[in-house]
C-alpha cells in the first residue's frame, strides 16, 4: 500500500507537488531490506510524514551502538589473537625444546658413553624434577594458606564490623568468637613466621587487617568491663568512718552474687583472652620490651579507679612519704585475699601459665605508687638537689629509705604464703625499679650517696683511736699451730679500728645498690659509689703509710709500728673483697658486666681491679720496709766484709755483724708483734732472700782469700739463727750462703775433683756436688782463691 501511494502516477494529480525531501527513489531501486524496513514502520504516506524523524533518531542510535560493539569486538579479537600467537610461540618453543632434548637423548643413547656420565645426567634431571615438584607444592601450600587466612579474617571482620552497626557494645558470644578467630589466625601466622619467612608480605597484610579489627574490639571489651565494675560498686572506700563501724573495708568482689558474678567472670575471661592474644603477637614479632608493671589487664582495671582516689591523699602527704607507703600497703593487704580467692580460679580457667592473682594485684599497686612518685615527688626533689639545698638531700635519703622498706614489706607479704623467696624482685614488684627507668635519677642518687660517705669517712679518720691496732702477742704462744694463718676477723689481721669503718661504709653503699631490681642498674650504682669510695680509701691508706718516715733510723722501730697500720688494713680489706667477690650476687654481677663490656678485663671477679691495686700497695710497702732493713743492715756491718784485721775470738760473732743482727732481731720482733701473720710471713722470707743474696755477693766481692773460713761460718750461722723463731730450718731460706759454707767445708781432694769437673763438663756438674744456686763463674772464682 505504501508503494502504491508513493508511486509517480499517484503523485501527478496532486494540486501541490510534495516537497523535495519527500521525493523517494523508485521502489525497484531499493533493496529488499530497505523495503521491508519501510513497510514494517509506515502504513501510508501520512504515517511516513509523522514518524520519519523518530525512525531516523532510532536508526542513528542503533548505528552508533553497533559501531561501538564492533570496535569492542575488534579489540577483543586483537587481544585474543596476540594471546594465541604468544601461546602458540610458547608451545612451539616448548615443542622445539622437547624435540631437541629427544634428539639429544637419541644422540646420547646412540653414542657410547660411560656409565658415570649417564648416571650424572639422570641425577641432574631427577633433581630438576624434584625442584619443580617442590615449587608446585609450595605454591599449592601458599594458595591454601591464603584461602584459609582469607576465610578466617573475613569471618573476624564480619563478627566485629557488622554487629557494631547501631549497637553500643558487642555480646559476649561475639567477643568470644572474635578472640577465638584471632587466636586461630595467630597460630597460622606463627607457623608462617617460623617456616616460611619469605611470605612476609602476606603476614603484614593479615596483621594490618587484624589490627583494624582489634582496634575496634579492645575498647568495647574494656568499656564493658569498666561498666560492670562500676555497677558492682568498685572502687571501694579507702577507710571506714567511726559512724560506719570502722574495721575492715568490705570488698565488692567478694560480695558479688548470681548474674553479677557471672557477668564479671565472663568479662574478666575476655580481657585475659585478649591479653594472651596480644602476648602471642608480641612474641611472634619479637617485641621483647621489658615494660615496668606489665601485669594482668583485668587487675590493672581494678587498680586504676583505686589510684584516682588514693592520689587525692598522696598530694597532701608529699612531705610525709611514710603515710603514702603505709596507705598503699594497707589497701593492698586488705584486698589481696579477696582478689586471690575470686580471681585465681578465673586465671586458671583462662589457662594463663605461671600467673598469680595475688602477685599481679601487688605488682599493679606497686606500679601505681611508682608512677605517682615519678610524676609528683621526684621532680621536685631533683630540683632541690640541683640547687644544693640541704633539706633536699635529707628528703631524698628519707624517701629512698621508705622505698626500700616498702619493697621489703611487699616482698615478704607476697612470699608469706609460698615457698619461694623474692630477694631478687622483678621490676614490676619493686618501687625501686623507678631508678631503673630513670638513669639520670640513679646517677644523681649515686652522687648523693658517695658525697655523704666521703663526709662521714673524713670524720671517722679524725677520731683519736682510729688507727690503733690490735696486738695478739707472739705467734709462738698460739695453742693451735694449724690455725696460725687462718685469719677472719679484724683482730686476726691486727687491723686498726678504722678498717672496720672502711668496710661498713663500703658495704652500706653496696647494700643500697642491691635494692635495685635489675642487674645492670645495680652494677652502675655500685661502680659509681662503692668502687669510687674504695679508691678514696686506698688513697687514704697511701697517705697514712707515707706519714711513717722509714728513712729516720733513730726512730725506725716506731716508724715500723706506724707503717703496719695501713698494711694490715689493706690485707684485711683484700680478704673481705675476695670474700664478697665469691658471693653469688657479685658473681652474677661480674658475669653480666663482662657480657656487656667484652673488652674490659675484670681480673676474674667483680672487685678484680680493686684487689689488684691493693696487692700492689701491699707489695710495694713490704718491699720498701725490706729495702730499708737491708740498707740499715749494710750500714751496720758493711765494713766487716772489707776489713778483717780486727781482733776476734774464734767462737764469737764479729762486732759489726753482731750489731747488725741485734738490730735485725729487734725489727723482726716489732714487725711480728704489729703486722698480720700473712704479710709478716712474706716479709721475713723475702728479707731472708735479700740477706742471702747480700752476704753471698759480699763474700765474692772481697778479692782473693780476704775472708777467714771459720769467721764466715760463725757469722753465717748467727745470721740464720736470727730467723730461727719463725721456721724450723732457717738454712733453707739461705741457699747461697749454705752452698758457700759447703764449698768452705770441702777438703783438698774434693776441691780438686770440683776443679776437674768444671774444666771437663762446665756447669752441668755442679748439681753432683750439691750446688744449684751459685753460678759456675763464682764457683771457679772460689776454686782459684782457695
Amino acid at each position: 500500500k505504501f508503494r502504491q501511494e508513493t508511486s509517480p502516477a499517484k503523485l501527478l494529480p496532486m494540486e501541490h507537488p510534495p516537497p523535495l525531501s519527500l521525493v523517494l527513489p523508485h521502489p525497484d531501486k531499493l533493496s529488499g531490506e530497505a523495503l521491508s524496513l519501510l513497510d514494517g514502520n509506515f502504513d501510508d504516506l501520512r504515517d511516513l510524514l509523522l514518524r520519519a524523524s523518530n525512525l531516523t533518531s532510532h536508526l542513528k542510535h542503533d548505528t552508533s551502538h553497533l559501531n561501538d560493539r564492533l570496535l569492542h569486538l575488534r579489540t577483543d579479537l586483537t587481544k585474543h589473537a596476540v594471546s594465541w600467537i604468544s601461546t602458540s610461540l610458547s608451545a612451539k618453543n616448548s615443542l622445539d625444546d622437547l624435540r631437541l632434548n629427544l634428539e639429544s637423548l637419541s644422540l646420547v643413547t646412540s653414542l657410547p658413553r660411560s656409565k658415570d656420565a649417564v648416571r650424572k645426567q639422570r641425577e641432574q634431571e631427577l633433581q630438576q624434577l624434584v625442584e619443580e615438584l617442590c615449587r608446585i607444592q609450595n605454591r599449592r601450600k601458599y594458595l591454601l594458606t591464603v584461602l584459609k587466612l582469607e576465610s578466617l579474617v573475613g569471618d573476624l571482620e564480619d563478627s566485629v564490623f557488622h554487629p557494631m552497626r547501631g549497637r553500643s557494645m558487642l555480646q559476649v558470644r561475639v567477643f568470644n568468637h572474635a578472640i577465638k578467630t584471632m587466636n586461630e589466625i595467630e597460630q597460622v601466622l606463627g607457623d608462617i613466621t617460623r617456616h616460611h619467612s619469605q611470605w612476609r608480605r602476606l603476614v603484614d597484610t593479615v596483621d594490618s587487617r587484624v589490627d583494624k579489627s582489634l582496634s575496634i574490639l579492645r575498647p568495647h571489651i574494656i568499656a564493658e568491663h569498666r561498666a560492670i565494675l562500676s555497677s558492682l560498686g568498685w572502687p571501694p572506700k579507702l577507710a571506714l568512718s567511726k559512724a560506719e563501724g570502722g574495721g575492715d573495708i568490705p570488698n565488692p568482689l567478694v560480695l558479688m552474687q548470681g548474674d553479677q558474678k557471672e557477668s564479671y567472670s565472663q568479662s574478666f575471661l575476655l580481657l585475659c583472652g585478649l591479653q594472651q592474644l596480644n602476648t602471642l603477637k608480641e612474641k611472634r614479632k619479637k617485641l621483647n620490651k621489658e615494660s615496668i608493671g606489665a601485669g594482668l589487664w583485668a587487675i590493672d582495671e581494678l587498680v586504676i579507679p583505686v589510684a584516682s582516689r588514693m592520689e587525692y591523699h598522696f598530694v597532701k602527704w608529699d612531705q610525709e612519704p611514710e603515710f603514702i607507703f603505709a596507705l598503699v600497703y594497707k589497701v593492698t593487704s586488705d584486698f589481696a585475699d579477696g582478689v586471690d580467692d575470686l580471681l585465681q580460679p578465673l586465671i586458671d580457667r583462662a589457662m594463663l601459665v605461671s600467673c598469680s592473682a595475688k602477685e599481679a594485684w601487688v605488682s599493679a599497686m606497686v606500679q601505681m605508687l611508682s608512677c605517682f612518685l615519678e610524676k609528683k615527688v621526684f621532680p621536685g626533689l631533683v630540683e632541690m638537689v640541683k640547687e644544693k639545698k640541704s633539706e633536699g638531700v635529707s628528703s631524698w635519703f628519707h624517701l629512698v629509705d621508705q622505698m626500700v622498706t616498702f619493697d621489703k614489706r611487699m616482698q615478704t607479704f607476697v612470699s608469706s604464703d609460698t615457698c619461694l623467696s623474692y630477694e631478687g624482685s622483678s621490676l614490676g614488684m619493686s618501687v625501686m625499679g623507678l631508678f631503673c627507668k630513670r638513669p639520670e635519677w640513679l646517677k644523681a642518687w649515686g652522687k648523693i650517696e658517695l658525697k655523704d660517705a666521703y663526709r662521714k669517712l673524713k670524720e671517722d679518720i679524725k677520731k683519736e683511736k682510729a688507727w690503733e691496732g690490735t696486738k695478739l702477742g707472739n705467734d709462738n704462744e698460739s695453742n693451735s699451730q694449724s690455725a696460725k694463718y687462718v685469719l677472719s676477723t679484724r683482730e686476726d689481721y691486727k687491723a686498726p679500728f678504722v678498717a672496720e669503718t672502711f668496710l661498713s661504709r663500703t658495704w652500706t653503699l653496696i647494700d643500697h645498690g642491691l635494692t635495685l631490681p635489675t642487674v645492670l642498674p645495680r652494677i652502675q650504682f655500685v661502680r659509681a659509689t662503692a668502687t669510687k669510695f674504695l679508691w678514696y680509701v686506698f688513697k687514704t691508706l697511701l697517705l697514712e703509710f707515707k706519714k711513717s718516715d722509714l728513712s729516720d733510723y733513730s726512730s725506725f722501730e716506731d716508724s715500723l709500728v706506724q707503717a703496719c697500720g695501713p698494711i694490715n688494713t689493706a690485707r684485711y680489706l683484700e680478704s673481705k673483697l675476695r670474700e664478697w667477690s665469691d658471693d653469688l650476687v657479685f658473681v652474677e654481677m661480674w658475669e653480666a658486666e663482662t657480657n656487656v663490656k667484652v673488652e674490659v678485663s675484670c681480673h676474674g671477679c667483680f672487685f678484680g681491679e680493686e684487689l689488684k691495686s691493693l696487692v700492689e700497695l701491699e707489695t710495694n710497702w713490704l718491699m720498701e720496709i725490706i729495702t730499708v732493713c737491708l740498707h740499715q743492715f749494710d750500714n751496720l756491718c758493711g765494713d766487716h766484709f772489707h776489713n778483717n784485721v780486727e781482733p776476734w775470738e774464734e767462737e764469737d760473732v764479729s762486732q759489726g755483724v753482731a750489731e747488725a743482727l741485734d738490730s735485725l732481731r729487734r725489727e723482726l720482733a716489732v714487725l711480728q708483734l704489729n703486722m698480720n701473720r700473712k704479710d709478716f710471713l712474706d716479709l721475713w722470707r723475702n728479707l731472708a732472700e735479700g740477706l742471702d743474696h747480700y752476704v753471698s755477693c759480699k763474700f765474692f766481692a772481697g778479692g782473693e782469700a780476704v775472708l777467714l773460713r771459720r769467721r764466715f761460718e760463725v757469722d753465717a750461722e748467727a745470721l740464720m739463727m736470727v730467723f730461727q723463731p719463725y721456721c724450723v730450718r732457717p738454712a733453707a731460706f739461705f741457699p747461697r750462703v749454705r752452698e758457700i759454707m759447703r764449698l768452705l767445708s770441702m777438703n783438698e781432694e774434693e776441691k780438686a775433683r770440683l776443679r776437674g769437673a768444671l774444666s771437663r763438663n762446665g756447669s752441668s756438674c755442679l748439681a753432683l756436688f750439691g750446688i744449684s744456686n751459685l753460678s759456675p763463674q763464682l764457683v771457679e772464682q772460689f776454686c782459684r782463691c782457695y
Side-chain angles (χ1 to χ4, degrees):
K1 181 180 179 182
F2 176 78
R3 287 195 296 270
Q4 294 175 357
E5 292 181 356
T6 57
S7 61
K10 295 290 184 181
L11 292 176
L12 290 177
M14 295 182 62
E15 297 179 359
H16 301 286
L20 184 61
S21 60
L22 293 179
V23 178
L24 296 177
H26 194 275
D28 295 336
K29 297 181 180 180
L30 295 177
S31 64
E33 293 180 357
L35 291 174
S36 298
L37 175 65
L38 293 175
D39 289 339
N41 288 279
F42 306 109
D43 294 333
D44 50 21
L45 182 59
R46 183 180 300 274
D47 195 17
L48 173 63
L49 296 175
L50 294 176
R51 298 174 57 188
S53 59
N54 292 336
L55 178 60
T56 303
S57 62
H58 283 299
L59 290 175
K60 289 181 178 179
H61 177 269
D62 292 342
T63 303
S64 176
H65 176 72
L66 290 175
N67 288 332
D68 294 340
R69 178 61 178 167
L70 180 60
L71 180 62
H72 180 71
L73 290 175
R74 287 177 178 175
T75 304
D76 288 347
L77 180 60
T78 303
K79 291 181 179 179
H80 288 300
V82 171
S83 176
W84 183 86
I85 291 172
S86 177
T87 304
S88 177
L89 291 175
S90 177
K92 180 178 179 299
N93 292 333
S94 299
L95 291 174
D96 291 341
D97 293 338
L98 180 60
R99 180 178 56 80
L100 291 175
N101 291 333
L102 292 175
E103 291 177 355
S104 300
L105 180 61
S106 175
L107 181 62
V108 167
T109 55
S110 63
L111 293 177
R113 299 188 62 183
S114 64
K115 294 182 179 179
D116 292 338
V118 175
R119 181 178 55 81
K120 184 176 180 180
Q121 182 177 1
R122 290 177 179 176
E123 289 178 354
Q124 292 177 351
E125 292 174 353
L126 286 175
Q127 183 178 0
Q128 294 175 357
L129 180 61
V130 171
E131 291 176 354
E132 184 66 18
L133 289 175
C134 291
R135 185 180 66 83
I136 295 173
Q137 182 66 20
N138 287 335
R139 287 193 176 184
R140 177 178 176 276
K141 189 172 184 179
Y142 178 80
L143 292 174
L144 292 176
T145 304
V146 170
L147 291 175
K148 183 176 181 180
L149 287 174
E150 179 61 32
S151 176
L152 290 172
V153 173
D155 189 16
L156 172 65
E157 292 174 343
D158 290 341
S159 301
V160 173
F161 291 101
H162 295 295
M164 292 291 296
R165 296 173 182 173
R167 300 185 61 178
S168 59
M169 63 178 62
L170 295 172
Q171 296 177 353
V172 174
R173 60 180 181 82
V174 177
F175 287 140
N176 285 325
H177 179 71
I179 292 175
K180 180 181 179 181
T181 305
M182 284 190 288
N183 278 319
E184 293 179 3
I185 294 172
E186 190 59 38
Q187 290 177 3
V188 177
L189 294 181
D191 182 72
I192 293 175
T193 303
R194 289 188 297 270
H195 303 104
H196 304 283
S197 57
Q198 69 274 17
W199 298 354
R200 185 69 254 174
R201 293 180 62 184
L202 174 63
V203 174
D204 292 340
T205 302
V206 175
D207 270 335
S208 177
R209 295 176 63 181
V210 172
D211 288 342
K212 291 180 181 179
S213 300
L214 193 59
S215 64
I216 297 174
L217 188 66
R218 180 176 176 179
H220 281 77
I221 294 178
I222 293 176
E224 184 175 354
H225 187 78
R226 291 177 178 176
I228 293 175
L229 282 177
S230 179
S231 65
L232 296 175
W234 189 272
K237 294 182 179 180
L238 300 180
L240 296 179
S241 62
K242 293 182 179 180
E244 294 173 323
D248 296 335
I249 306 171
N251 189 343
L253 298 179
V254 178
L255 301 177
M256 288 189 303
Q257 297 293 333
D259 294 340
Q260 284 186 334
K261 187 173 183 179
E262 182 63 25
S263 298
Y264 178 78
S265 299
Q266 292 178 351
S267 181
F268 185 91
L269 292 173
L270 284 174
L271 269 181
C272 290
L274 199 63
Q275 184 175 3
Q276 195 171 20
L277 173 67
N278 186 73
T279 303
L280 291 175
K281 288 175 68 69
E282 291 183 350
K283 184 178 180 180
R284 171 173 58 83
K285 296 179 179 180
K286 297 180 180 181
L287 300 176
N288 298 324
K289 297 179 180 179
E290 187 178 18
S291 58
I292 296 179
L296 284 176
W297 292 351
I299 292 183
D300 291 341
E301 291 298 324
L302 293 175
V303 174
I304 292 173
V306 174
S308 62
R309 287 192 177 182
M310 297 180 74
E311 189 170 351
Y312 170 78
H313 301 282
F314 290 169
V315 174
K316 296 187 296 183
W317 296 335
D318 57 341
Q319 300 299 323
E320 298 171 308
E322 59 271 17
F323 294 155
I324 296 176
F325 292 103
L327 178 60
V328 174
Y329 180 79
K330 181 181 183 303
V331 173
T332 304
S333 58
D334 286 346
F335 294 99
D337 292 337
V339 168
D340 191 32
D341 294 340
L342 177 69
L343 301 186
Q344 189 60 50
L346 296 177
I347 291 175
D348 297 338
R349 183 178 167 186
M351 293 185 293
L352 298 178
V353 182
S354 301
C355 187
S356 169
K358 185 176 182 179
E359 293 177 24
W361 166 255
V362 173
S363 176
M365 292 295 292
V366 168
Q367 294 312 308
M368 176 271 297
L369 175 58
S370 179
C371 290
F372 174 79
L373 295 176
E374 181 180 4
K375 295 177 181 178
K376 302 294 184 181
V377 178
F378 266 100
L381 282 179
V382 171
E383 291 299 324
M384 294 175 67
V385 171
K386 287 182 179 180
E387 295 174 1
K388 298 182 179 181
K389 295 182 179 180
S390 58
E391 60 270 18
V393 175
S394 60
S395 298
W396 187 293
F397 282 143
H398 180 58
L399 178 59
V400 171
D401 290 340
Q402 292 296 322
M403 293 168 67
V404 173
T405 303
F406 177 79
D407 278 351
K408 291 180 179 179
R409 293 184 69 187
M410 281 299 185
Q411 293 159 17
T412 303
F413 174 71
V414 171
S415 59
S416 60
D417 57 350
T418 64
C419 60
L420 299 177
S421 175
Y422 289 87
E423 293 179 359
S425 60
S426 64
L427 209 57
M429 295 292 291
S430 173
V431 74
M432 292 294 291
L434 175 63
F435 288 107
C436 302
K437 290 175 57 180
R438 303 297 294 269
E440 67 277 12
W441 293 353
L442 180 64
K443 185 177 180 181
W445 180 29
K447 290 181 178 179
I448 295 172
E449 291 281 1
L450 185 61
K451 185 176 180 180
D452 184 68
Y454 283 165
R455 179 183 59 80
K456 293 179 179 178
L457 182 62
K458 290 179 181 179
E459 297 175 356
D460 295 332
I461 295 174
K462 293 178 181 179
K463 292 181 180 179
E464 183 178 355
K465 297 183 179 181
W467 292 99
E468 290 186 6
T470 304
K471 300 178 182 179
L472 299 178
N474 292 329
D475 293 338
N476 292 336
E477 299 175 0
S478 176
N479 295 326
S480 176
Q481 291 292 334
S482 61
K484 273 187 178 183
Y485 303 105
V486 180
L487 310 181
S488 58
T489 64
R490 181 187 63 83
E491 290 78 9
D492 294 333
Y493 284 94
K494 302 179 182 180
F497 296 103
V498 75
E500 204 65 58
T501 302
F502 293 156
L503 284 174
S504 62
R505 300 291 182 203
T506 305
W507 182 254
T508 299
L509 296 173
I510 293 174
D511 190 51
H512 288 169
L514 295 180
T515 59
L516 296 168
T518 55
V519 175
L520 293 181
R522 289 181 194 171
I523 296 173
Q524 181 182 353
F525 184 85
V526 172
R527 290 298 187 199
T529 57
T531 300
K532 288 185 178 181
F533 182 76
L534 282 173
W535 289 108
Y536 182 80
V537 169
F538 300 163
K539 182 180 179 181
T540 302
L541 293 177
L542 183 61
L543 294 176
E544 183 65 20
F545 182 83
K546 289 182 178 180
K547 291 181 181 179
S548 58
D549 188 7
L550 297 176
S551 61
D552 187 3
Y553 294 130
S554 61
S555 59
F556 185 61
E557 294 181 7
D558 294 336
S559 298
L560 288 178
V561 174
Q562 188 176 4
C564 286
I567 294 176
N568 294 338
T569 303
R571 175 65 73 173
Y572 181 50
L573 292 178
E574 179 192 347
S575 69
K576 288 300 180 182
L577 289 181
R578 293 190 186 278
E579 180 182 333
W580 291 351
S581 296
D582 292 337
D583 189 88
L584 181 60
V585 174
F586 289 100
V587 172
E588 292 176 349
M589 291 169 63
W590 170 67
E591 183 179 2
E593 186 176 37
T594 52
N595 290 336
V596 174
K597 302 177 180 178
V598 180
E599 299 180 358
V600 175
S601 175
C602 292
H603 301 281
C605 64
F606 186 78
F607 293 106
E609 293 287 347
E610 292 73 24
L611 287 170
K612 178 184 176 183
S613 298
L614 269 179
V615 172
E616 289 179 355
L617 283 177
E618 296 171 47
T619 303
N620 293 337
W621 294 341
L622 291 178
M623 291 305 301
E624 187 171 345
I625 293 176
I626 292 171
T627 302
V628 175
C629 289
L630 290 174
H631 284 169
Q632 188 174 6
F633 186 87
D634 179 60
N635 292 335
L636 293 175
C637 70
D639 294 338
H640 163 75
F641 295 100
H642 299 286
N643 183 11
N644 299 286
V645 297
E646 60 181 56
W648 63 290
E649 297 295 335
E650 184 177 350
E651 300 297 333
D652 293 339
V653 181
S654 58
Q655 182 178 358
V657 174
E659 184 179 355
L661 294 180
D662 183 62
S663 175
L664 180 63
R665 184 182 295 107
R666 292 196 309 271
E667 293 163 1
L668 287 174
V670 170
L671 290 171
Q672 183 188 23
L673 183 63
N674 294 277
M675 186 178 290
N676 68 84
R677 297 184 183 97
K678 290 184 178 179
D679 282 326
F680 180 70
L681 177 65
D682 292 339
L683 184 140
W684 75 257
R685 287 184 174 180
N686 284 279
L687 181 59
E689 182 182 356
L691 290 172
D692 179 57
H693 184 77
Y694 172 80
V695 173
S696 62
C697 289
K698 288 293 185 181
F699 177 82
F700 290 104
E704 295 184 358
V706 297
L707 290 177
L708 298 177
R709 168 184 172 182
R710 180 60 185 158
R711 179 170 181 173
F712 181 82
E713 290 178 350
V714 172
D715 291 346
E717 289 178 356
L719 173 62
M720 289 185 283
M721 287 299 295
V722 172
F723 293 88
Q724 183 68 49
Y726 315 117
C727 60
V728 178
R729 295 177 59 251
F733 299 95
F734 291 88
R736 296 165 65 91
V737 174
R738 188 178 69 250
E739 292 179 2
I740 292 174
M741 295 175 67
R742 163 72 177 148
L743 292 174
L744 291 173
S745 64
M746 287 183 177
N747 53 35
E748 294 300 328
E749 183 180 353
E750 291 176 331
K751 292 178 183 178
R753 288 204 311 271
L754 177 60
R755 294 189 190 97
L758 282 173
S759 62
R760 291 190 304 271
N761 303 318
S763 60
S764 61
C765 67
L766 293 179
L768 300 176
F769 293 88
I771 299 173
S772 58
N773 293 280
L774 296 177
S775 65
Q777 294 78 11
L778 293 178
V779 176
E780 290 178 356
Q781 179 183 344
F782 174 82
C783 292
R784 287 195 305 269
C785 296
Y786 294 91

